[in-house]
Amino acid sequence: VPFALLASTGGRIVDRIGAVRSAVITALLVSPLVFSYGVIGSPLVIVLLSGVEGVVQALGIPAVQAAVAGSAPEGRAGAAQGLAGAGNLAMGAATAFAAGPLYAGLGSGWLFAIAAVGTLVVTGRNTPQFGYLKVQGAQDGNQLADIAVPAQYVTVDPAKAVKEAFNVGQLYTRFAASI
């Protein structure tokens, strides 16, 4: 319900501060909420926290959509949105298959901790959409480590005007071409 009521406000904030910055803020706010679902035993508190997450997602979902649409090649925004949606669906399906055994073996605390900590962290020297990107991830020891990104995913077409979220869109474009 909060998302439905606040999505247009979230979209205006995204337009004002930028899609990538909004998405990063959302990830930083949502990750602790996801972790908390596995350690809080009160259903009422979980429902209240999911309401807070809905408010935060009113910023995050428009941010991701704007980043994909704004970085797609001319006339290809719909295809880029479709690819992003397919990627989300594939990740959801993979998570659904893994969640049952993980929940049974580790319990809810670990399952939600894995979901929160396993999120990739993208950082940049200046702003992530205009320059050098560094991708980091954590496994087992929960220590972030650099993940090498092949050059084919970071080269910029000189004919394309660099604009917000270009690197994210370029990543989607190269990923689509590679499959």
Side-chain angles (χ1 to χ4, degrees):
V1 173
F3 174 75
L5 297 174
L6 297 172
S8 63
T9 301
R12 285 191 299 275
I13 293 169
V14 169
D15 288 341
R16 191 174 62 232
I17 69 171
V20 173
R21 180 178 290 161
S22 300
V24 170
I25 290 168
T26 300
L28 292 173
L29 294 174
V30 166
S31 188
L33 291 170
V34 170
F35 174 77
S36 70
Y37 295 146
V39 296
I40 294 174
S42 167
L44 178 60
V45 174
I46 291 172
V47 168
L48 292 173
L49 285 176
S50 68
V52 171
E53 182 181 353
V55 170
V56 175
Q57 291 291 8
L59 175 67
I61 292 172
V64 171
Q65 292 171 346
V68 171
S71 60
E74 189 71 32
R76 301 290 296 160
Q81 292 286 1
L83 178 61
N88 288 339
L89 184 59
M91 184 55 78
T95 302
F97 283 115
L102 286 172
Y103 186 86
L106 300 174
S108 64
W110 278 106
L111 178 64
F112 284 100
I114 291 167
V117 174
T119 302
L120 288 177
V121 177
V122 178
T123 58
R125 280 187 267 193
N126 296 315
T127 58
Q129 66 267 33
F130 293 122
Y132 166 80
L133 285 178
K134 176 170 73 171
V135 180
Q136 296 180 318
Q139 289 182 339
D140 299 332
N142 292 331
Q143 295 291 340
L144 284 178
D146 289 351
I147 298 172
V149 178
Q152 70 211 46
Y153 294 108
V154 294
T155 57
V156 176
D157 178 4
K160 175 90 171 159
V162 176
K163 57 185 175 179
E164 182 172 286
F166 179 74
N167 285 330
V168 175
Q170 183 176 334
L171 178 68
Y172 273 116
T173 301
R174 297 290 176 122
F175 176 69
S178 69
I179 58 173

